[in-house]
Amino acid sequence: MKNCPKCGNARLGEEFKCPSCDVFYSQLDELLFEEQQKQEQHTFAGALKRIRAADNRGQAVRAELKTVWRNTPLKTKIVIWTVIAFVFVLVVPIF
C-alpha cells in the first residue's frame, strides 16, 4: 500500500507505520513488524538496545545475563563449568 489508510500520507521507503498517525499501512506490514520485534528480542543488538534504554544499566545488564544463562542448554553449562574448573586447577598451584 502506498498511502496511509487513515490520513492518506504517502509511504516513505520501507516503513511499516505511518509517521504522522502511527497506523500500519496493511495487515501484512503489522505482521512483519511484530515478527521483526520478536527476532530483535533474541539478538545481541536487541539486548544492547534494552540496556541502553534502561534507567539502571547495571541492573539491566544483570537481567540480560540471567536471561542468557537461563536459556543456555544444560550441556553447554556443563562444558563452561568444566573449562572454568580446569583453568582454576591449572592456575591455583602457581600461587
Side-chain angles (χ1 to χ4, degrees), residues 18-41:
C18 176
S20 62
C21 63
D22 205 36
V23 171
F24 287 101
Y25 287 107
S26 68
Q27 286 182 332
L28 178 61
D29 288 334
E30 185 174 358
L31 293 173
L32 291 173
F33 180 76
E34 289 173 4
E35 184 66 28
Q36 183 182 23
Q37 295 299 322
K38 286 180 187 177
Q39 286 179 351
E40 189 175 287
Q41 285 181 340

mmCIF file of all heavy atoms in Angstrom, residues 18-41:
data_model
loop_
_atom_site.group_PDB
_atom_site.id
_atom_site.type_symbol
_atom_site.label_atom_id
_atom_site.label_comp_id
_atom_site.label_asym_id
_atom_site.label_seq_id
_atom_site.Cartn_x
_atom_site.Cartn_y
_atom_site.Cartn_z
ATOM 1 N N CYS A 18 2.691 4.595 9.470
ATOM 2 C CA CYS A 18 2.635 5.984 9.033
ATOM 3 C C CYS A 18 3.261 6.856 10.123
ATOM 4 O O CYS A 18 2.893 6.733 11.301
ATOM 5 C CB CYS A 18 1.184 6.391 8.800
ATOM 6 S SG CYS A 18 0.967 8.127 8.378
ATOM 7 N N PRO A 19 4.212 7.719 9.796
ATOM 8 C CA PRO A 19 4.870 8.529 10.830
ATOM 9 C C PRO A 19 3.951 9.572 11.475
ATOM 10 O O PRO A 19 4.180 9.985 12.608
ATOM 11 C CB PRO A 19 6.023 9.203 10.089
ATOM 12 C CG PRO A 19 5.732 9.066 8.647
ATOM 13 C CD PRO A 19 4.776 7.928 8.479
ATOM 14 N N SER A 20 2.892 9.984 10.792
ATOM 15 C CA SER A 20 2.040 11.031 11.356
ATOM 16 C C SER A 20 0.940 10.479 12.260
ATOM 17 O O SER A 20 0.655 11.049 13.308
ATOM 18 C CB SER A 20 1.433 11.878 10.239
ATOM 19 O OG SER A 20 0.627 11.068 9.410
ATOM 20 N N CYS A 21 0.311 9.365 11.870
ATOM 21 C CA CYS A 21 -0.810 8.861 12.677
ATOM 22 C C CYS A 21 -0.519 7.514 13.343
ATOM 23 O O CYS A 21 -1.368 6.993 14.061
ATOM 24 C CB CYS A 21 -2.075 8.779 11.840
ATOM 25 S SG CYS A 21 -1.972 7.645 10.465
ATOM 26 N N ASP A 22 0.650 6.926 13.116
ATOM 27 C CA ASP A 22 1.088 5.696 13.770
ATOM 28 C C ASP A 22 0.146 4.517 13.490
ATOM 29 O O ASP A 22 -0.117 3.690 14.363
ATOM 30 C CB ASP A 22 1.256 5.921 15.273
ATOM 31 C CG ASP A 22 2.234 4.941 15.894
ATOM 32 O OD1 ASP A 22 3.221 4.593 15.218
ATOM 33 O OD2 ASP A 22 2.005 4.530 17.048
ATOM 34 N N VAL A 23 -0.347 4.432 12.270
ATOM 35 C CA VAL A 23 -1.210 3.339 11.841
ATOM 36 C C VAL A 23 -0.423 2.491 10.847
ATOM 37 O O VAL A 23 0.321 3.013 10.013
ATOM 38 C CB VAL A 23 -2.498 3.883 11.169
ATOM 39 C CG1 VAL A 23 -3.315 2.783 10.530
ATOM 40 C CG2 VAL A 23 -3.323 4.623 12.187
ATOM 41 N N PHE A 24 -0.570 1.158 10.936
ATOM 42 C CA PHE A 24 0.103 0.281 9.983
ATOM 43 C C PHE A 24 -0.511 0.454 8.597
ATOM 44 O O PHE A 24 -1.703 0.665 8.452
ATOM 45 C CB PHE A 24 -0.023 -1.178 10.421
ATOM 46 C CG PHE A 24 0.840 -1.518 11.595
ATOM 47 C CD1 PHE A 24 0.307 -1.597 12.865
ATOM 48 C CD2 PHE A 24 2.189 -1.746 11.431
ATOM 49 C CE1 PHE A 24 1.103 -1.901 13.948
ATOM 50 C CE2 PHE A 24 3.003 -2.050 12.503
ATOM 51 C CZ PHE A 24 2.453 -2.126 13.767
ATOM 52 N N TYR A 25 0.344 0.350 7.580
ATOM 53 C CA TYR A 25 -0.136 0.509 6.210
ATOM 54 C C TYR A 25 -1.026 -0.658 5.789
ATOM 55 O O TYR A 25 -1.995 -0.471 5.077
ATOM 56 C CB TYR A 25 1.044 0.650 5.244
ATOM 57 C CG TYR A 25 1.726 1.987 5.353
ATOM 58 C CD1 TYR A 25 2.973 2.108 5.945
ATOM 59 C CD2 TYR A 25 1.121 3.143 4.881
ATOM 60 C CE1 TYR A 25 3.598 3.338 6.052
ATOM 61 C CE2 TYR A 25 1.734 4.375 4.985
ATOM 62 C CZ TYR A 25 2.975 4.468 5.573
ATOM 63 O OH TYR A 25 3.584 5.685 5.695
ATOM 64 N N SER A 26 -0.705 -1.866 6.220
ATOM 65 C CA SER A 26 -1.539 -3.029 5.913
ATOM 66 C C SER A 26 -1.362 -4.063 7.014
ATOM 67 O O SER A 26 -0.486 -3.947 7.869
ATOM 68 C CB SER A 26 -1.154 -3.631 4.561
ATOM 69 O OG SER A 26 0.142 -4.204 4.633
ATOM 70 N N GLN A 27 -2.195 -5.115 6.980
ATOM 71 C CA GLN A 27 -2.076 -6.167 7.988
ATOM 72 C C GLN A 27 -0.764 -6.927 7.820
ATOM 73 O O GLN A 27 -0.165 -7.356 8.796
ATOM 74 C CB GLN A 27 -3.250 -7.133 7.878
ATOM 75 C CG GLN A 27 -4.540 -6.564 8.401
ATOM 76 C CD GLN A 27 -5.666 -7.564 8.329
ATOM 77 O OE1 GLN A 27 -5.669 -8.452 7.482
ATOM 78 N NE2 GLN A 27 -6.629 -7.409 9.210
ATOM 79 N N LEU A 28 -0.318 -7.076 6.594
ATOM 80 C CA LEU A 28 0.953 -7.738 6.348
ATOM 81 C C LEU A 28 2.098 -6.948 6.981
ATOM 82 O O LEU A 28 2.995 -7.527 7.598
ATOM 83 C CB LEU A 28 1.194 -7.899 4.847
ATOM 84 C CG LEU A 28 2.515 -8.542 4.455
ATOM 85 C CD1 LEU A 28 2.616 -9.950 5.016
ATOM 86 C CD2 LEU A 28 2.664 -8.561 2.955
ATOM 87 N N ASP A 29 2.052 -5.648 6.864
ATOM 88 C CA ASP A 29 3.074 -4.811 7.497
ATOM 89 C C ASP A 29 3.048 -4.968 9.010
ATOM 90 O O ASP A 29 4.090 -4.989 9.661
ATOM 91 C CB ASP A 29 2.880 -3.342 7.122
ATOM 92 C CG ASP A 29 3.256 -3.048 5.690
ATOM 93 O OD1 ASP A 29 4.084 -3.788 5.137
ATOM 94 O OD2 ASP A 29 2.724 -2.071 5.136
ATOM 95 N N GLU A 30 1.864 -5.089 9.576
ATOM 96 C CA GLU A 30 1.748 -5.272 11.015
ATOM 97 C C GLU A 30 2.361 -6.608 11.437
ATOM 98 O O GLU A 30 3.109 -6.683 12.418
ATOM 99 C CB GLU A 30 0.278 -5.219 11.432
ATOM 100 C CG GLU A 30 0.058 -5.286 12.916
ATOM 101 C CD GLU A 30 -1.397 -5.086 13.300
ATOM 102 O OE1 GLU A 30 -2.241 -4.865 12.424
ATOM 103 O OE2 GLU A 30 -1.662 -5.148 14.515
ATOM 104 N N LEU A 31 2.093 -7.668 10.688
ATOM 105 C CA LEU A 31 2.664 -8.976 10.992
ATOM 106 C C LEU A 31 4.187 -8.968 10.847
ATOM 107 O O LEU A 31 4.906 -9.535 11.668
ATOM 108 C CB LEU A 31 2.054 -10.049 10.092
ATOM 109 C CG LEU A 31 0.568 -10.336 10.311
ATOM 110 C CD1 LEU A 31 0.056 -11.293 9.253
ATOM 111 C CD2 LEU A 31 0.332 -10.884 11.692
ATOM 112 N N LEU A 32 4.683 -8.328 9.798
ATOM 113 C CA LEU A 32 6.124 -8.237 9.596
ATOM 114 C C LEU A 32 6.788 -7.444 10.725
ATOM 115 O O LEU A 32 7.873 -7.800 11.189
ATOM 116 C CB LEU A 32 6.439 -7.595 8.247
ATOM 117 C CG LEU A 32 6.102 -8.423 7.021
ATOM 118 C CD1 LEU A 32 6.304 -7.606 5.751
ATOM 119 C CD2 LEU A 32 6.935 -9.690 6.975
ATOM 120 N N PHE A 33 6.150 -6.379 11.165
ATOM 121 C CA PHE A 33 6.670 -5.569 12.260
ATOM 122 C C PHE A 33 6.746 -6.385 13.543
ATOM 123 O O PHE A 33 7.751 -6.351 14.257
ATOM 124 C CB PHE A 33 5.792 -4.330 12.453
ATOM 125 C CG PHE A 33 6.251 -3.422 13.553
ATOM 126 C CD1 PHE A 33 7.335 -2.588 13.374
ATOM 127 C CD2 PHE A 33 5.599 -3.404 14.777
ATOM 128 C CE1 PHE A 33 7.770 -1.744 14.383
ATOM 129 C CE2 PHE A 33 6.015 -2.571 15.791
ATOM 130 C CZ PHE A 33 7.104 -1.735 15.595
ATOM 131 N N GLU A 34 5.690 -7.147 13.844
ATOM 132 C CA GLU A 34 5.680 -7.972 15.052
ATOM 133 C C GLU A 34 6.762 -9.049 14.988
ATOM 134 O O GLU A 34 7.441 -9.315 15.975
ATOM 135 C CB GLU A 34 4.306 -8.611 15.242
ATOM 136 C CG GLU A 34 3.233 -7.628 15.656
ATOM 137 C CD GLU A 34 1.856 -8.245 15.681
ATOM 138 O OE1 GLU A 34 1.729 -9.474 15.443
ATOM 139 O OE2 GLU A 34 0.899 -7.505 15.941
ATOM 140 N N GLU A 35 6.937 -9.665 13.820
ATOM 141 C CA GLU A 35 7.967 -10.683 13.650
ATOM 142 C C GLU A 35 9.362 -10.080 13.827
ATOM 143 O O GLU A 35 10.229 -10.677 14.460
ATOM 144 C CB GLU A 35 7.842 -11.335 12.274
ATOM 145 C CG GLU A 35 8.812 -12.466 12.049
ATOM 146 C CD GLU A 35 8.563 -13.658 12.948
ATOM 147 O OE1 GLU A 35 7.405 -13.877 13.364
ATOM 148 O OE2 GLU A 35 9.537 -14.370 13.265
ATOM 149 N N GLN A 36 9.560 -8.905 13.298
ATOM 150 C CA GLN A 36 10.843 -8.220 13.445
ATOM 151 C C GLN A 36 11.110 -7.909 14.917
ATOM 152 O O GLN A 36 12.239 -8.057 15.396
ATOM 153 C CB GLN A 36 10.850 -6.935 12.625
ATOM 154 C CG GLN A 36 12.150 -6.183 12.655
ATOM 155 C CD GLN A 36 12.066 -4.887 11.864
ATOM 156 O OE1 GLN A 36 10.985 -4.335 11.655
ATOM 157 N NE2 GLN A 36 13.206 -4.403 11.431
ATOM 158 N N GLN A 37 10.095 -7.505 15.661
ATOM 159 C CA GLN A 37 10.255 -7.210 17.087
ATOM 160 C C GLN A 37 10.596 -8.478 17.874
ATOM 161 O O GLN A 37 11.440 -8.448 18.770
ATOM 162 C CB GLN A 37 8.982 -6.568 17.645
ATOM 163 C CG GLN A 37 8.673 -5.214 17.072
ATOM 164 C CD GLN A 37 9.759 -4.204 17.353
ATOM 165 O OE1 GLN A 37 10.356 -4.183 18.416
ATOM 166 N NE2 GLN A 37 10.051 -3.373 16.370
ATOM 167 N N LYS A 38 9.963 -9.605 17.530
ATOM 168 C CA LYS A 38 10.251 -10.871 18.206
ATOM 169 C C LYS A 38 11.688 -11.306 17.952
ATOM 170 O O LYS A 38 12.377 -11.765 18.866
ATOM 171 C CB LYS A 38 9.298 -11.965 17.732
ATOM 172 C CG LYS A 38 7.901 -11.834 18.275
ATOM 173 C CD LYS A 38 7.027 -12.948 17.755
ATOM 174 C CE LYS A 38 5.592 -12.755 18.136
ATOM 175 N NZ LYS A 38 4.721 -13.794 17.569
ATOM 176 N N GLN A 39 12.147 -11.158 16.710
ATOM 177 C CA GLN A 39 13.515 -11.545 16.382
ATOM 178 C C GLN A 39 14.522 -10.639 17.083
ATOM 179 O O GLN A 39 15.579 -11.090 17.518
ATOM 180 C CB GLN A 39 13.742 -11.499 14.876
ATOM 181 C CG GLN A 39 13.084 -12.640 14.140
ATOM 182 C CD GLN A 39 13.317 -12.556 12.644
ATOM 183 O OE1 GLN A 39 13.834 -11.570 12.142
ATOM 184 N NE2 GLN A 39 12.915 -13.593 11.931
ATOM 185 N N GLU A 40 14.191 -9.379 17.201
ATOM 186 C CA GLU A 40 15.106 -8.436 17.845
ATOM 187 C C GLU A 40 15.249 -8.729 19.335
ATOM 188 O O GLU A 40 16.287 -8.461 19.926
ATOM 189 C CB GLU A 40 14.623 -7.000 17.635
ATOM 190 C CG GLU A 40 15.615 -5.969 18.080
ATOM 191 C CD GLU A 40 15.173 -4.569 17.743
ATOM 192 O OE1 GLU A 40 15.228 -4.222 16.558
ATOM 193 O OE2 GLU A 40 14.779 -3.848 18.670
ATOM 194 N N GLN A 41 14.233 -9.310 19.949
ATOM 195 C CA GLN A 41 14.304 -9.631 21.374
ATOM 196 C C GLN A 41 15.369 -10.683 21.653
ATOM 197 O O GLN A 41 15.925 -10.732 22.743
ATOM 198 C CB GLN A 41 12.961 -10.138 21.884
ATOM 199 C CG GLN A 41 11.934 -9.065 22.070
ATOM 200 C CD GLN A 41 10.634 -9.636 22.592
ATOM 201 O OE1 GLN A 41 10.371 -10.826 22.481
ATOM 202 N NE2 GLN A 41 9.807 -8.772 23.156
#
